[in-house]
Amino acid sequence: MIVEKHLRKECDKISAIADSLGMDWHPIRFETVSRNLMQKIATYGLPFRMKHYKYAMSWYRNKKMGEMGGFAYETIIHGNPCFAYMSNENTKILNELIIAHCIGHSHVFKNNYHWKVVPTSIIEMARTNLGIAEDYKARYGNEVVTDFLTSAFALEDNLDWNYYVKHGETFPPYPKPSKVLVHEGINDHFELKEPVLPYQKEINTNFPPYPEKDLLWFLATQSPRMEDWQRELLLAVRQEAYFFYPFVMTKILHEGFASMAHIKIMDLYLKDSKDVFDFALLNAGVVNPNWAPSGNPDMPAATLTHNPYWIGYNILKDIEARWDDYFNKGLPTPETDEYPSCDRFRLKDKNGNIVKSKITGWQKVLEVIKEEDDMSLFRNYLTSKLMKELNLAVFKEDKFSFTVKTKSNPHEFNEAMNMLKAERYTPQIAVTQVTNKGMLVLDHLDIDSVPGYEILLKDAKQVLLHLYNLWGSPVMLRTKINGVMSAILAKRNEGKVQVFLADANDKTKKMEEI
Amino acid sequence: MDEELWSLYDNGDSEIKEYQERAEKIAREQAVKDILSSPIISEGDGGVVKVKLPILKDHKFVWGKNEGTPEADEVKTGETEAPEGWEYYKNNDSGEEGTEPGEGNESHDYVTVEIPISDIVDHLAKELGLPNLEEKAVRKIEEWETNFDTYRETDTFDGCDVEETLLKNLIRNMSAGNPGIGGFIEDDYVKLSYNERQKESTQACVYFLMDVSGSMSDAKKAIAKMFFFWTKIWLKKCYSKVDVVFIAHDEKAWIETEKKFFSVQSGGGTYASSAIELCKKDVTENHPSSQWNNYILHVSDGDVFRSDAEEYLKVLLSMDFNLFGYIETPTSIDYEAGGFAWGPRNQESEWMQVIKKVKHPRILASCLDKREKVGQALKDIFGRA
């Protein structure tokens, strides 16, 4: 571990304790930086990224937050070594806590399967990308490159999250763009003379061979109308975007385990009772349920948010306690069973002896860290007992009220969580075919997965215009709008690019411009 | 890393600058639509207006609700100490504490940008005009137009037509046998001089009447002021010799200065006829209709008695005016703002009914129930038919 001088001694002690706990992590490089820099790193997610005005929004927001007193104590970035930044305003005890916390994060980075596929040199990559973008800005003009990046960023969330599962770390042996497509079809299509109707029969080229969710990669490699520098930038945006998706997948696991790690390590590390008190105070500021009981039974308190530190820590603690129990007393029987199905696999052996778990609670937690992500953590390990303890609830929302639907059914909670996730994530959109005239056809794959929600037409219109910029020919998206299967089409009409909405099934209806 | 080293890669502030430039560019393009409905912070120096604009969104494919999205029961996770079956009502103090997921904190989602007024006014001037403008007996002839449109052979060097000068120089050089530009002599210069023309304009006076009684909540007043603000800006730019009289009223009416008018606070009952009587008094004393074109704009929530409204109309019809515009800020504004609201939600006020009954060509009415409709209300009153 590399750390500044004044913390070196503490750092060595803390890492020795972590080693003794059986944790396994990438070395970490700590830096103390000013509050201003902390905010900048929090804004970009990385110390360097391609300059673009879209970050101004979150930068502005973080700045305001900082003025109001809230700012991050630390930021850690995945890699080998990991880079961790902590504020130079921190107290000594806080810095020690952060070191222990970061070791927890680093353990997840090294062991969790979502993170295994992320390149360990993302900081260098992002720095290179910044350099490339600046070069191109100097060569082709700031305006041109910024506009192109805006188009690219519009698609940065449309990734194939199972990309690495499908293809591994190498680029897939994707079929080469068919020659017919590039040289005849598309080039003829650039200056459209006749309007293309979305339901007009066009010959399917059987390309791409399977629905391609990785839109940026598809455009960078297959778009017929792009220069080399544009393809390079598109891939650079995609590279950085892939770095951020495991964060979304493992947020609760990450923070929960890091909290657990710092509590365990500091428990062994701190000797002085005053330090213990200070630590407990700091810890309570982070690992808490974000809301307080109202004290009035007529006005019970409630929130629609979860603190990932609190909820993650509690689930992991519950797992540890349960498996310690199984290790000492044996696995549960169906009669006493309050536990989810995965615990119920072994009760008694042939001779009627109680079967004990072979691993302790802490070992089980390390196993969980390896294999799970947020959703599977809830699915596999949330019990109704724990739900009651943590006051977790599922609300049913209608126009005027929220009703507490259940407080003890983990299955319903998972369903609701799934829905919420889908709502927060990007809709799954894939390229399903390129027609012989060069029209790019996109399909919305998870149309009815979030009840009451559709793709927002206003935003989709803008994204389709960006897509038109990148593809250079008409682009069509098929999805449900206002409850009806519709086609949104971007094409050139009377000298400018316009977006139309059409009913995908009813051929008699006219297209409307939106 | 060293702080100084880091500053080499400092993006934050430069990006904000670039971002603001872009926001302004986009705002200028949609001047009437966006700016007229944005909350105005202040009128800055040098003919700019500071407005709060929602932060430019980066567009992505997102889940959301379109106009016609079929409704479905939604479930959300959360934490609560209430028992199963407990019902929390929305918009209730004792109810939900958390914000809805996915909703940003609104107070952070705005930036302040400066937009030149001229851009907006240019747009307004195309669509609006003072109707029924009549030529009155006394004219004020104070506007001068200056046009550089006269060529003179010998004159003082007021201006120079560059194109013509270059052409003349080129022709002279070519005829001398060496094509090219250069070696200017006195004769080459095509001098321009200006003509001053008198621009005739008739006198006009616009009365701003605003209801500031207790029932006019802050939300209503904000919209009323927004309407007056843009009317004033437009009048000032397009008609430099227009008098504006500011009248505020609750039970009594009084004349305000411009500065105070836009920050006036009051309360109490409403007696609208007091305002029109004061207006009538001012017309007879200072702006007699034999010499002036008088325009009256009244913004109110229409919370008056029918007798008062009829009295108002009687006084109004006894006056000689070019246009009367009644703009109503109905109670639905309060319902949408989420504050305390007087009276029923969607009901036309008695005043509005009285005014609509009189089918006078110079009496117009418009309902301004949303911020976004300020531009529309301006068009309703001043739009050239």
Side-chain angles (χ1 to χ4, degrees), chain A residues 55-339:
Chain A
Y55 298 114
M57 179 170 83
S58 48
W59 166 235
Y60 188 81
R61 204 173 284 178
N62 282 2
K63 218 170 155 183
K64 267 265 176 73
M65 290 267 276
E67 282 162 16
M68 284 153 67
F71 74 105
Y73 293 137
E74 52 84 21
T75 306
I76 185 164
I77 288 155
H78 171 260
N80 191 4
C82 290
F83 281 74
Y85 301 93
M86 43 197 187
S87 168
N88 57 6
E89 293 169 33
N90 295 351
T91 55
K92 182 166 165 281
I93 185 87
L94 181 53
N95 276 338
E96 288 163 357
L97 188 154
I98 287 170
I99 291 169
H101 193 83
C102 285
I103 289 175
H105 277 304
S106 187
H107 179 93
V108 184
F109 283 141
K110 191 169 179 183
N111 291 286
N112 190 275
Y113 79 97
H114 275 293
W115 285 94
K116 285 207 167 158
V117 291
V118 178
T120 49
S121 55
I122 186 70
I123 290 192
E124 287 85 344
M125 286 175 174
R127 173 68 190 84
T128 316
N129 291 344
L130 167 65
I132 291 170
E134 289 303 299
D135 275 2
Y136 288 143
K137 273 181 192 171
R139 206 183 302 169
Y140 300 106
N142 189 9
E143 194 86 341
V144 177
V145 177
T146 309
D147 282 346
F148 182 79
L149 281 176
T150 312
S151 295
F153 281 130
L155 300 168
E156 79 179 327
D157 286 352
N158 291 87
L159 304 171
D160 188 354
W161 286 12
N162 298 324
Y163 173 82
Y164 288 103
V165 178
K166 275 195 229 158
H167 306 303
E169 282 184 52
T170 51
F171 281 106
Y174 204 67
K176 282 161 203 143
S178 98
K179 277 178 187 170
V180 182
L181 192 75
V182 173
H183 297 303
E184 291 166 26
I186 286 173
N187 288 344
D188 291 347
H189 200 59
F190 284 150
E191 296 306 327
L192 263 182
K193 277 162 196 139
E194 287 170 31
V196 176
L197 298 170
Y199 34 77
Q200 186 175 317
K201 255 281 190 262
E202 294 196 8
I203 300 160
N204 192 347
T205 52
N206 288 328
F207 180 84
Y210 51 83
E212 180 58 67
K213 290 186 200 168
D214 196 345
L215 296 190
L216 283 176
W217 182 83
F218 182 84
L219 290 168
T221 51
Q222 313 297 328
S223 172
R225 212 191 206 200
M226 223 186 268
E227 289 176 31
D228 285 348
W229 66 271
Q230 291 174 319
R231 292 179 202 275
E232 199 176 347
L233 281 183
L234 220 52
L235 289 175
V237 170
R238 172 179 171 273
Q239 192 176 49
E240 286 174 28
Y242 261 117
F243 168 66
F244 285 99
Y245 94 87
F247 270 116
V248 186
M249 305 286 280
T250 59
K251 173 87 178 158
I252 291 170
L253 197 74
H254 243 291
E255 300 300 0
F257 183 73
S259 301
M260 193 170 202
H262 80 232
I263 289 168
K264 267 191 184 297
I265 291 171
M266 295 305 268
D267 200 23
L268 297 168
Y269 171 75
L270 294 172
K271 298 275 156 28
D272 195 354
S273 62
K274 189 186 161 295
D275 285 351
V276 173
F277 183 76
D278 283 348
F279 164 74
L281 210 59
L282 283 170
N283 182 51
V286 179
V287 187
N288 64 19
N290 260 356
W291 59 280
S294 65
N296 182 352
D298 294 337
M299 287 193 283
T303 174
L304 288 177
T305 57
H306 301 290
N307 182 356
Y309 295 83
W310 169 253
I311 197 167
Y313 170 68
N314 274 290
I315 292 177
L316 291 175
K317 204 176 79 171
D318 183 61
I319 292 171
E320 191 186 13
R322 258 156 56 197
W323 255 262
D324 272 341
D325 221 30
Y326 303 159
F327 184 73
N328 297 327
K329 295 180 193 161
L331 293 162
T333 58
E335 293 84 40
T336 63
D337 186 19
E338 281 184 11
Y339 297 118

Side-chain angles (χ1 to χ4, degrees), chain A residues 31 40 44 52 61 147 291 301 303 306 391 393 395 397 400-402 404 407 422 454-457 482, chain B residues 1 10-11 15 22 60 62-64 66 68 74 76-81 84-88 90 109:
Chain A
E31 278 177 36
K40 273 179 192 163
Y44 289 90
H52 189 264
R61 204 173 284 178
D147 282 346
W291 59 280
T303 174
H306 301 290
N391 280 320
F395 292 96
E397 185 187 358
F400 305 105
S401 64
F402 291 94
V404 183
K407 285 188 78 179
E454 290 171 346
I455 285 187
L456 211 54
L457 190 58
N482 299 339
Chain B
M1 193 185 296
D10 197 346
N11 301 1
E15 267 160 10
R22 282 193 178 243
K60 285 176 180 169
V62 286
W63 293 100
N66 296 317
E74 290 171 36
K76 285 189 168 138
T77 67
E79 293 168 23
T80 179
E81 50 176 3
E84 281 181 19
W86 186 276
E87 206 168 353
Y88 288 101
K90 287 180 179 176
D109 289 1

Side-chain angles (χ1 to χ4, degrees), chain B residues 247-379:
Chain B
I247 295 174
H249 77 94
D250 44 18
E251 282 163 344
K252 283 181 290 181
W254 65 94
I255 292 181
E256 277 283 15
T257 59
E258 181 183 336
K259 216 174 184 183
K260 276 187 181 170
F261 183 76
F262 283 102
S263 58
V264 68
Q265 292 287 338
S266 188
T270 321
Y271 190 53
S273 352
S274 65
I276 197 74
E277 267 158 19
L278 182 68
C279 179
K280 190 179 178 183
K281 201 178 138 204
D282 192 84
V283 167
T284 45
E285 284 174 8
N286 302 329
H287 304 100
S289 55
S290 57
Q291 297 165 19
W292 290 79
N293 289 293
N294 290 320
Y295 296 85
I296 305 162
L297 298 173
H298 198 143
V299 179
S300 169
D301 59 348
D303 187 20
V304 296
F305 295 112
R306 184 174 273 271
S307 58
D308 186 24
E310 275 160 4
E311 165 94 31
Y312 186 100
L313 208 63
K314 215 195 271 174
V315 179
L316 180 68
L317 288 174
S318 71
M319 290 164 65
D320 188 7
F321 57 91
N322 291 52
L323 186 88
F324 172 79
Y326 171 65
I327 297 98
E328 185 160 290
T329 51
T331 316
S332 62
I333 294 169
D334 284 346
Y335 281 96
E336 253 152 54
F340 180 72
W342 292 79
R345 183 168 182 150
N346 295 318
Q347 197 180 329
E348 231 169 39
S349 70
E350 293 200 328
W351 195 355
M352 193 64 143
Q353 289 167 16
V354 168
I355 280 176
K356 275 191 178 168
K357 227 185 231 172
V358 190
K359 282 179 181 148
H360 193 292
R362 292 188 173 185
I363 293 180
L364 300 174
S366 175
C367 185
L368 181 53
D369 59 354
K370 263 180 200 152
R371 214 176 236 166
E372 288 76 24
K373 284 194 184 169
V374 171
Q376 187 57 45
L378 271 168
K379 274 184 210 164

Side-chain angles (χ1 to χ4, degrees), chain A residues 420-490:
Chain A
L420 208 66
K421 276 274 194 218
E423 184 188 323
R424 284 181 193 173
Y425 294 169
T426 312
Q428 298 268 312
I429 286 165
V431 181
T432 45
Q433 60 162 297
V434 179
T435 64
N436 65 331
K437 284 189 177 176
M439 181 160 74
L440 187 70
V441 183
L442 303 165
D443 267 308
H444 181 194
L445 301 181
D446 53 350
I447 286 178
D448 284 327
S449 70
V450 191
Y453 284 82
E454 290 171 346
I455 285 187
L456 211 54
L457 190 58
K458 229 167 56 185
D459 290 64
K461 178 192 167 186
Q462 300 295 335
V463 182
L464 280 191
L465 289 175
H466 286 309
L467 260 166
Y468 189 96
N469 281 349
L470 298 174
W471 181 248
S473 283
V475 182
M476 182 170 88
L477 169 69
R478 287 189 290 221
T479 180
K480 252 187 191 172
I481 298 290
N482 299 339
V484 184
M485 261 322 271
S486 310
I488 314 171
L489 176 74

